[in-house]
Amino acid sequence: MTEVGKKKATIYDLSVLSGSSPSTVSAVLNGSWRKRRIKEATAKLIQDLADQHGYTANLQARGLRSSRSGLVGLLLPVYDNRYFSSMAQTFEALVRSRGQCPVVVSACRDPEEERQVVETLISYSIDELFIAGATDPDGVHAVCEKAGLRHVNIDLPGTKAPSVISDNFEGARMLTEAIIEHARKDGPVAPEEIYLFGGRNDHASRERIRGFRAVKRSMLGADPEACIQPTGYSPAMTARAFEAFYQAHGKLPRAFFVNSSINLEGLLRFLAQHPHETFADIIVGCYDYDPFGSFLPFPVFMIRQDSEAMIAKGLAILEAKREPAATHLVQPMLVPPRTALSGPLDTLKDVDDG
């Protein structure tokens, strides 16, 4: 009998142990044994031996034979907010449901790092790539195009490959309307009382600012330029922007729109340095969803972006024949204060550690 206890078993080891041919073992391990009319008892024996002796499929060798590795990549800008972590959870679940292996990496919003990471993924023969929130999606496209790698942009659009993104203009319109209507419960609202903090010069921020301004002009009749306070996606810079506003005006705006949960974190850092009573009457709109934000002591309206629908649409695009470089919009959802929604983690099975 072949000694397999000190090393990982191969198909040929399992062939000797089971008394079956290597082709029969391969059919059982890749799930095609029923089509070959292999007996169920034989299949169970081989599967049990594979488990017992730690058999692991050599995906790289399988990829060389089939020209498919079974690996699907997701390139994220960051991991540190619920939106991108939820996107990763959904991506992994949907890719596994197709019998493939998900690979999730981050490039920290650095365009050079984005290209280098994608080149590394290509060296591992990934089959497809989701490019989420890339700083330079067209630069990543050039790397993918050269390698013949099918890819789709998620969250931020490119001009050279299909893109699936939130309808940021519509989400900003809903969010701005909500905070103005809430503020009007206490009396008339002037245009200079409603501000936007956060964001940078990218497509999502530009569309959100456009929606914010359109609603202010429609509902309040004007939109002063000073009411836009870009801070980038940085909690520290956002906190400094709120501190500067407070030092200049002695208060915060009556209501304001923050461009992401990262900017909301900056607001909370600022608030932590001041008495709560000073800001008890503020109204906040956040273009991101986090259930913890919904339960702050002041009203927080939030926009939940539908990452599940974006990933599903991206998979459909990659499964189709070559798609044009069109941008597909996915409708976001307005979440009122004091609302906790379910998410991808709710689909995971509970694990009893006891």
Side-chain angles (χ1 to χ4, degrees):
M1 181 177 291
T2 303
E3 174 61 36
V4 296
K6 296 182 180 179
K7 61 182 181 68
K8 291 182 179 179
T10 67
I11 284 178
Y12 301 100
D13 295 327
L14 297 177
S15 171
V16 172
L17 290 168
S18 66
S20 302
S21 69
S23 65
T24 297
V25 173
S26 179
V28 170
L29 296 175
N30 68 28
S32 65
W33 59 274
R34 288 187 177 86
K35 293 180 181 178
R36 292 190 49 189
R37 298 183 181 179
I38 295 169
K39 292 180 181 178
E40 187 171 347
T42 301
K44 186 177 186 310
L45 171 63
I46 292 169
Q47 289 163 349
D48 289 346
L49 287 169
D51 291 340
Q52 180 183 346
H53 294 286
Y55 172 79
T56 302
N58 188 332
L59 294 179
Q60 194 168 32
R62 182 185 296 175
L64 291 172
R65 292 192 298 273
S66 65
S67 298
R68 301 279 292 179
S69 67
L71 303 175
V72 182
L74 170 63
L75 175 67
L76 293 176
V78 291
Y79 296 104
D80 63 352
N81 66 53
R82 182 170 289 266
Y83 171 54
F84 286 119
S85 63
S86 294
M87 181 182 290
Q89 288 279 351
T90 298
F91 169 79
E92 291 190 2
L94 290 178
V95 169
R96 287 195 178 101
S97 74
R98 301 198 313 171
Q100 296 171 294
C101 181
V103 180
V104 182
V105 292
S106 167
C108 301
R109 302 189 192 276
D110 181 331
E112 182 58 32
E113 186 73 13
E114 288 168 358
R115 291 188 287 273
Q116 290 178 3
V117 167
V118 172
E119 287 172 354
T120 300
L121 291 173
I122 289 170
S123 74
Y124 283 92
S125 301
I126 63 169
D127 295 333
E128 295 155 336
L129 178 65
F130 286 69
I131 305 161
T135 303
D136 182 18
D138 287 348
V140 176
H141 162 82
V143 176
C144 295
E145 186 77 1
K146 184 177 179 181
L149 176 65
R150 290 178 63 79
H151 56 287
V152 62
N153 297 309
I154 304 291
D155 181 61
L156 286 177
T159 64
K160 301 180 183 300
S163 302
V164 185
I165 66 172
S166 280
D167 188 340
N168 289 288
F169 175 83
E170 176 61 16
R173 189 195 64 75
M174 292 190 294
L175 189 60
T176 309
E177 281 187 357
I179 62 175
I180 291 175
E181 288 173 356
H182 197 84
R184 279 178 167 172
K185 293 179 180 179
D186 294 324
V189 177
E192 59 272 14
E193 293 182 290
I194 311 294
Y195 272 67
L196 183 148
F197 288 83
R200 59 177 185 169
N201 186 25
D202 60 22
H203 180 274
S205 295
R206 290 192 296 270
E207 285 296 283
R208 292 170 194 174
I209 291 171
R210 188 169 71 90
F212 173 80
R213 286 185 151 168
V215 171
K216 282 189 68 179
R217 291 174 184 140
S218 172
M219 296 182 71
L220 304 180
D223 175 41
E225 186 67 30
C227 292
I228 305 297
Q229 298 280 318
T231 65
Y233 293 117
S234 164
M237 289 180 64
T238 307
R240 286 197 290 271
F242 278 112
E243 187 64 49
F245 188 98
Y246 179 64
Q247 293 300 325
H249 299 87
K251 61 180 181 179
L252 289 185
R254 184 169 175 185
F256 47 90
F257 179 131
V258 291
N259 198 43
S260 75
S261 59
I262 296 172
N263 300 125
L264 181 64
E265 181 182 338
L267 169 64
L268 297 181
R269 290 188 186 186
F270 163 77
L271 294 178
Q273 304 303 313
H274 298 273
H276 163 67
E277 296 76 14
T278 309
F279 310 108
D281 60 346
I282 61 174
I283 301 163
V284 178
C286 177
Y287 204 106
D288 254 343
Y289 171 72
D290 191 306
F292 297 107
S294 259
F295 292 88
L296 289 169
F298 43 83
V300 181
F301 294 84
M302 311 188 94
I303 289 292
R304 184 184 191 183
Q305 302 180 78
D306 194 344
S307 59
E308 294 93 338
M310 283 189 275
I311 294 295
K313 179 63 177 178
L315 285 170
I317 288 171
L318 292 175
E319 288 173 350
K321 293 181 179 179
R322 190 171 183 86
E323 290 271 341
T327 297
H328 305 266
L329 298 179
V330 174
Q331 179 76 12
M333 172 184 180
L334 177 68
V335 182
R338 308 294 181 193
T339 304
L341 303 177
S342 61
L345 289 175
D346 293 296
T347 64
L348 300 178
K349 295 181 179 178
D350 291 333
V351 177
D352 184 2
D353 295 327

